[in-house]
Amino acid sequence: MKAKLTVRALYKRFVTMGGGFEALHDVSFAAASGEFLAIVGASGCGKSTLLRIIAGLERATSGDVMMDEQPILEPARDRAMVFQDYSLYPWLTVLENIQFSMRLKASARQGTAQSRRLALERSLLLLELTGLGPVRDAFPHALSGGMRQRVAIARALLGKPELLLMDEPFGALDAQTREVMHELILHILAVEKRTIVFVTHDVEEAVYLADRVLVLAPGPGRVDSVWTVELPPALERTPELKRSTEFTALKGRILDRICATSGLQRDLVALQRLTR
Amino acid sequence: MNAGERRARPSWWTIRGTLDSRAYLAIAAGSFVLWLTLWWAVTALALIDPLFLPGPGAVLGRFRNWLLDGNLIEDAGISTFRVVAGFLASALIALPLSLVIGAYRPVRAFCEPLLEFARYLPAVAFVPLVLLWSGIGEISKIALIFIGTFFQMVLMLSEDVARVPMPQVEAARTLGADAGEVMRTVLLRSALPAMFDTLRITLGWAWTYLVVAELVAANSGLGYAILKAQRFLQTDRIFVGIIVIGLIGLGTDQLLRALHRRLFPWAGTRPI
């Protein structure tokens, strides 16, 4: 399959007052067109930095990030991003938030009356698809966390992005809401086939949603391993799957890798000394 | 009191507890009444020479007298004009400047330390300079109010802009907004309620510097009237001047708060 996104020999150094530190070290991977790639790793492994570089919000120190063989230097509409929280515009209603990009010059420039009408139709469709129809005129502060993230997802999808970047989009939600969001995202993707790069700290979420899971190791951030998820196709996955042996086995192996890379160890001697 | 009753009425004295608006208003009114009564009692019992502290009756009488036979309205009017002019001049420059400072780091580096320095310069000490530069006309009073409010205002407003949640800005950029659109449709729009509050607070400071300006160089206005009253030992007139300024301030403040609620019904107390 053709690669939609290619990351090659990526390095990122942050310069600080006391010198600097390396956030990403020689990171290379590719995502095929239409693939759902999840990135997991211990905290501080640079997974969010990596996603921000792909979005064009941050520059790499060296290395290439290419989408469709074109280098990524700036944010662009075809690489929409969903943030963990605080990204909605509180002065706009739910529908106006979803339609935010329609008011921008970038969409007006290529806008014929025809395309504007299509975008309007599409925004209403996304509103229904995300189940936000009943609250279309509500302001964000009146919504639950799960609903707010649904608005953010619909808003990102409106411009038909080639690449959908999600930075721990369900990280601030409670466990039940997160399960509902998993079903919603699988449902939407069945209709809206996109290439997705999804950063999360939740391994179960990664395995349940993704085609492949990439494990980053911290200090400095580098690719530790890549796991192909041999599970039924997205639409046939159900919550029961999370309790199957195959699923828990893969989840366990990935978790073990993350533990191993985070420097945590079961040092029983040290523990005994602590309790003494 | 049994346990059930205690549960039914939550204590007023919980740290950061709640209070319904009727109780709030009652207590607020009570505090005004309490101080007025105290004032009245002290003067009615002649505990203090009325030359130092005239009674509420005398002050009220002077107020009526000043209002009907004098020029209280004109004095309050010219003072309000000066405050509004100085404040608007300050705000008109501060608003765009703070937006650019809050948006661009190099501009912040260029302006912020300088403004921090300038805000510690005592505005009152500028009086001789202002008089030297702009004479004793209206400009000098407006200039002094400007000096007193501008630097703090820019710093506080730019802080409001800097507090706009980063994801709001970055989401706009990934949705295709250019720099101008991020400034206008996100930064300004998002910071507007906080900026409005900052302006409301700095308007109060403008009154402080108005009085300073009118005490030094003016032949009209409430501050001037207060100074003149001091010369003739009309303590009650001083009181009227001070209270009228307080009432104008309280009135404008409440008006602006109400306007804030009307303009920004979506503004919660925490970021979304």
Side-chain angles (χ1 to χ4, degrees), chain A residues 61-123:
Chain A
T61 307
S62 69
D64 296 318
V65 186
M66 321 267 274
M67 188 172 84
D68 294 326
E69 335 268 85
Q70 296 297 312
I72 290 171
L73 300 168
E74 287 287 315
R77 315 175 59 203
D78 51 8
R79 267 174 284 119
M81 182 137 158
V82 178
F83 297 82
Q84 183 173 340
D85 213 342
Y86 307 120
S87 78
L88 294 190
Y89 301 119
W91 59 94
L92 299 178
T93 64
V94 166
L95 185 61
E96 287 167 342
N97 261 288
I98 295 174
Q99 294 173 338
F100 180 78
S101 62
M102 288 165 59
R103 316 160 157 217
L104 301 173
K105 276 181 268 169
S107 70
R109 220 174 286 130
Q110 48 177 249
T112 56
Q114 165 89 0
S115 73
R116 262 196 298 280
R117 197 172 46 79
L118 282 177
L120 189 70
E121 266 173 36
R122 189 172 157 76
S123 68

Side-chain angles (χ1 to χ4, degrees), chain A residues 52 86 89-91 105 141, chain B residues 168 170 174 178 181 266 272:
Chain A
R52 292 171 57 79
Y86 307 120
Y89 301 119
W91 59 94
K105 276 181 268 169
H141 70 82
Chain B
Q168 287 185 10
E170 295 186 329
T174 65
D178 61 30
E181 283 173 324
W266 47 267
I272 299 293

Side-chain angles (χ1 to χ4, degrees), chain A residues 131-148:
Chain A
L132 293 167
V135 293
R136 57 178 271 172
D137 296 321
F139 286 108
H141 70 82
L143 303 182
S144 67
M147 280 181 164
R148 289 210 288 267

